[in-house]
Amino acid sequence: MELSQMEKVYHALIEESDRLLESDPDASRLEALGEALIRVEKEGSYSDLRKAFQFAYLYHVKEEKVQPNHQLTPDAIGYFIAHIVQLFNQDPVALLDAGSGTGHLSMTVKEKIGDTELFGVEVDPLLAQINVNLCDYLEVPMDIYPQNIIEPVRLPQVDVAIGDLPVGYYPLDVEGFTTAFEDERSYAHLLMLESAMSYVKDDGLGVFIVPSNMLEEKNETIKKYLSESATLLMFLNLPNSMFKTENQRKSIIVLKKKFSPLKNNEVLIGDIPDFKNVQQFKHFLEQTESWYDSYADNF
């Protein structure tokens, strides 16, 4: 059986990565893949090329264990985030990916929203370099800032901020953040969310992947932030089937920049059905569209 175009590019990426690893045994698999992106000959649609990279990345992280924050955001989540962004925005969209990693989440959103101006901030030098090379490989322009988004960045104001935010404590003291804790280390994901939203235009959107217990555990600072600087629009739990334990479960939070109480609308809270259940998921998308129509009528 003849290989699809995506499969051909996938195998080319794996073969080129292996050649690079043979010539430089001290390189990591992800370093080799990043270099392979700008060496390999490629043909195919945008979707073919993006998925070929995705599967090559997944192959390498299976062979060489990586930290959780180096995992790719699944396509289904990226497509759903694009759906939310499209509800609230007409093209073109200036979009910031906070903690952009390899840039794959941005590239997944771009697949659904063609007319986007992309900005990414990523402190990990390996992931930032892969992001640069992925942009070259996919022929997608993206301004990438290789630094920590919790620190000041010379970014323009954007229409939307997104991010698959790493969970954990931030090791340094911070000042000027509503979401910071006074007497202990603050949560990095809260600080990153707040910082990313500071680059969003008034009434612009934030769509972030966060711990499902974010509004429950040590919630005083995030509740203060949501009563002063942003409006909570949606809090949607990702399917349980995506996580090994309940403690690992994540959700998608949707925010509007600036606080203004919703009129005749309640915050949309619920569970996203399994992405593989086509009928249930289609019905859920219709629910989000109906919610947005009601919101827009009263905005």
Side-chain angles (χ1 to χ4, degrees):
M1 183 184 295
E2 185 177 356
L3 295 177
S4 68
Q5 199 59 50
M6 186 277 290
E7 290 170 322
K8 290 176 183 177
V9 180
Y10 163 78
H11 286 294
L13 286 171
I14 296 299
E15 290 165 9
E16 184 62 31
S17 302
D18 287 343
R19 277 194 290 270
L20 290 165
L21 287 167
E22 286 177 10
S23 63
D24 184 4
D26 292 330
S28 71
R29 285 181 171 273
L30 294 188
E31 287 173 324
L33 176 59
E35 183 67 19
L37 287 170
I38 56 175
R39 291 175 177 243
V40 73
E41 293 187 9
K42 62 189 189 298
E43 283 186 27
S45 68
Y46 179 93
S47 179
D48 287 336
L49 298 180
R50 185 187 63 76
K51 288 181 178 178
F53 161 73
Q54 177 187 36
F55 289 127
Y57 191 98
L58 293 173
Y59 167 81
H60 283 302
V61 299
K62 185 177 180 182
E63 296 297 315
E64 181 178 271
K65 299 299 182 185
V66 298
Q67 57 177 289
N69 292 338
H70 284 193
Q71 298 290 344
L72 294 183
T73 306
D75 278 3
I77 296 177
Y79 290 151
F80 182 72
I81 287 176
H83 166 75
I84 295 297
V85 172
Q86 285 180 304
L87 281 181
F88 289 84
N89 290 271
Q90 301 295 319
D91 296 353
V93 178
L95 185 144
L96 166 65
D97 190 346
S100 55
T102 65
H104 185 255
L105 174 58
S106 292
M107 300 303 158
T108 306
V109 172
K110 171 126 183 117
E111 187 177 324
K112 295 296 183 182
I113 310 174
D115 196 357
T116 54
E117 183 180 10
L118 298 175
F119 302 88
V121 182
E122 176 52 54
V123 69
D124 186 302
L126 170 59
L127 297 184
Q129 186 58 55
I130 293 175
N131 193 348
V132 170
N133 292 359
L134 182 62
C135 290
D136 184 89
Y137 164 82
L138 291 174
E139 300 179 4
V140 172
M142 181 175 184
D143 290 345
I144 301 160
Y145 298 75
Q147 64 184 89
N148 184 350
I149 196 168
I150 296 173
E151 298 172 354
V153 185
R154 288 183 174 273
L155 278 165
Q157 291 287 287
V158 298
D159 302 302
V160 180
I162 65 172
D164 188 347
L165 304 180
V167 179
Y169 288 99
Y170 189 59
L172 305 176
D173 293 332
V174 294
E175 293 181 357
F177 283 81
T178 303
T179 56
F181 301 146
E182 286 188 13
D183 302 321
E184 57 182 314
R185 291 296 179 212
S186 302
Y187 284 147
H189 48 281
L190 295 186
L191 300 176
M192 290 179 70
L193 179 153
E194 182 176 353
S195 183
M197 289 298 291
S198 72
Y199 299 102
V200 174
K201 299 172 185 175
D202 286 350
D203 295 326
L205 198 69
V207 187
F208 304 100
I209 302 166
V210 298
S212 291
N213 64 0
M214 189 184 83
L215 300 179
E216 302 166 10
E217 186 181 14
K218 298 181 180 178
N219 60 19
E220 294 84 2
T221 64
I222 184 63
K223 283 190 172 182
K224 186 172 190 294
Y225 175 76
L226 294 176
S227 68
E228 295 176 348
S229 303
T231 305
L232 177 61
L233 302 177
M234 300 180 183
F235 197 87
L236 306 170
N237 298 315
L238 289 164
N240 258 331
S241 57
M242 301 185 76
F243 307 98
K244 291 181 180 179
T245 68
E246 181 65 24
N247 288 339
Q248 294 175 321
R249 194 176 187 187
K250 292 191 175 183
S251 302
I252 292 177
I253 190 171
V254 181
L255 306 174
K256 185 186 75 169
K257 177 71 173 285
K258 292 199 313 183
F259 178 72
S260 56
L262 296 179
K263 300 175 184 176
N264 302 321
N265 260 64
E266 293 184 355
V267 176
L268 183 61
I269 297 174
D271 296 327
I272 301 173
D274 195 311
F275 293 112
K276 295 177 182 177
N277 189 321
V278 177
Q279 284 302 112
Q280 284 189 10
F281 186 65
K282 181 181 178 183
H283 178 65
F284 183 77
L285 292 180
E286 291 170 352
Q287 284 183 294
T288 63
E289 292 165 4
S290 176
W291 183 94
Y292 175 76
D293 289 342
S294 176
Y295 166 82
D297 288 343
N298 293 291
F299 180 63

